Amino acid sequence: MATYQCSACYYPYNEAEGIPDDGIAAGTKWEDVPANWVCPDCGNTKENFTLADD
């Protein structure tokens, strides 16, 4: 599972953990996160997230 990172505030989205508080279950692949989802920290759009270097 991969981690994606917000390009503005570096908030990480970890596919293994998901974001249960936003209704995104653990194990949800990045491509399955809704297109209208935004960063919970800064409001950046999903398209402005990049694959994080692990």
Side-chain angles (χ1 to χ4, degrees), residues 9-46:
C9 73
Y10 305 107
Y11 176 88
Y13 173 75
N14 183 305
E15 291 178 333
E17 296 174 8
I19 308 174
D21 290 345
D22 279 357
I24 301 172
T28 301
K29 292 281 199 182
W30 182 245
E31 58 265 17
D32 296 328
V33 172
N36 65 347
W37 179 83
V38 296
C39 177
D41 281 355
C42 73
N44 210 2
T45 60
K46 180 183 172 187

